[in-house]
Amino acid sequence: MTNHHQSTRGEPRVALVTCAELSDLDPDDRLVLAPLAARGVTVEAAVWDDPAVDWSGYDLVVFRSPWDYALRRDEFVAWAHTVPALVNPADVVRWNTDKRYLAELSAAGVPTVPTAWVGPGETWTRPADRGEYVIKPAVSAGSQDTGRYDLADPEHRELAEAHVRRLSDAGRVTMVQPYLSAVDTAGETALLFLAGPDGLAFSHAIRKGPMLTGPDLGVEGLYKPEEIAARSATPEQLAVAEKTLAVVPGGTERLLYARVDLIPGADGSPVLVELELTEPSLFIGYADGAPDRLAEAICTHLRLRA
């Protein structure tokens, strides 16, 4: 990687957007550096809120790991709208960084995890079903501020209510979803799509094991380490992913990548947990050829902007 003030004398310059804590990029993202260099592309890591970065000096600006944006989402979205040659585009970022997009996808017929929304100042009525539920903010990254609650347990009911109040007091929208127990056995499937000459194309899939172990108590260490493994996507999963992507505002032709996260629902059919279009881990280290496919996707977008 080069300094972001260095001239590249005609070579395409690409910024991989990250955060200060990952100023040298996430290890998975670093796997694309050599394939891009082999294609004559100069790549630089750039921290999204670093005022010294001249974003107009890049031929393409690629979101990768700006994972500290959740508590500064308005600032983050406003910044995205100032950046030329940004992928995925700023209007997609605005739409995708608030998980209320799930309601839009559900209304369009995409099978999604049933979700109740609680706005700041609103009263949460606990579900009549005393099963397990997940509570998290509508704007979040990773598993921050996310908890799993067994509403048959009186202590968990109190903790769940406290969690909703805590988010509400902070002016945040809360989402409440049933915990899909199949994640404990089948895990979560992430389907990765990368740009090609004819638009987004399926690249690979991975399995993520369960992470939530209990209530969110506002401290670190309540989650299991991520367990990732390669996985083959089923035709049913691919069909749900394609149906999901068909609803993306503005179409998928503008996208560099997409990640569709699915879990088996109560009847075993895949349901959407999240559609990641802003800063998802792409897990390119888990599939043969994926680093090259990502590099080629970036080059495809460079050619589109040439």
Side-chain angles (χ1 to χ4, degrees):
M1 285 176 287
T2 60
N3 183 278
H4 53 243
H5 294 296
Q6 179 177 333
S7 169
T8 57
R9 298 180 182 177
E11 291 184 349
R13 293 179 77 212
V14 172
L16 300 184
V17 180
T18 185
C19 58
E21 289 188 14
L22 291 168
S23 59
D24 197 34
L25 301 175
D26 179 80
D28 192 66
D29 292 330
R30 288 199 289 271
L31 296 176
V32 78
L33 299 180
L36 283 171
R39 288 164 170 80
V41 177
T42 296
V43 188
E44 305 169 4
V47 175
W48 74 271
D49 58 352
D50 179 356
V53 178
D54 176 13
W55 300 104
S56 66
Y58 295 104
D59 299 288
L60 198 67
V61 177
V62 179
F63 277 117
R64 287 312 320 122
S65 48
W67 293 333
D68 60 352
Y69 77 86
L71 296 179
R72 303 161 60 192
R73 187 245 177 185
D74 290 347
E75 177 187 350
F76 181 69
V77 170
W79 162 81
H81 278 277
T82 70
V83 179
L86 183 68
V87 286
N88 286 333
D91 63 301
V92 172
V93 171
R94 178 182 295 278
W95 179 75
N96 189 238
T97 50
D98 186 325
K99 292 182 178 63
R100 283 177 286 186
Y101 69 77
L102 288 170
E104 295 182 38
L105 295 178
S106 179
V110 175
T112 62
V113 179
T115 306
W117 309 92
V118 186
E122 295 179 354
T123 300
W124 176 49
T125 302
R126 289 198 310 265
D129 172 26
R130 293 293 178 87
E132 286 193 285
Y133 283 81
V134 173
I135 294 175
K136 57 185 175 181
V139 178
S140 65
S143 296
Q144 293 176 341
D145 303 308
T146 300
R148 171 181 171 184
Y149 300 89
D150 181 356
L151 298 187
D153 182 326
E155 182 181 3
H156 275 224
R157 291 199 294 271
E158 290 183 7
L159 289 171
E161 291 173 350
H163 190 166
V164 175
R165 283 196 304 271
R166 185 164 65 250
L167 294 175
S168 179
D169 290 346
R172 306 173 77 183
V173 174
T174 302
M175 49 196 298
V176 182
Q177 300 173 318
Y179 184 79
L180 300 183
S181 59
V183 73
D184 294 328
T185 52
E188 183 176 324
T189 301
L191 285 75
L192 287 305
F193 293 77
L194 298 173
D198 300 316
L200 283 184
F202 175 69
S203 170
H204 59 286
I206 58 97
R207 176 193 186 275
K208 294 193 289 182
M211 291 183 63
L212 292 177
T213 60
D216 174 46
L217 302 176
V219 297
E220 297 293 333
L222 295 180
Y223 313 106
K224 296 179 182 178
E226 255 190 342
E227 298 175 0
I228 308 295
R231 166 170 275 180
S232 297
T234 67
E236 192 176 19
Q237 289 170 333
L238 287 167
V240 172
E242 294 288 356
K243 189 172 187 177
T244 301
L245 293 171
V247 187
V248 174
T252 58
E253 296 80 7
R254 303 181 301 152
L255 303 183
L256 175 66
Y257 52 68
R259 196 183 88 198
V260 182
D261 294 344
L262 305 173
I263 293 178
D267 65 355
S269 298
V271 297
L272 180 72
V273 180
E274 288 190 23
L275 170 61
E276 298 272 15
L277 303 178
T278 302
E279 31 61 59
S281 293
L282 297 176
F283 304 110
I284 58 175
Y286 291 86
D288 291 342
D292 276 294
R293 288 194 291 276
L294 178 57
E296 192 54 40
I298 290 171
C299 289
T300 294
H301 273 261
L302 283 169
R303 288 190 290 270
L304 289 173
R305 295 174 179 273

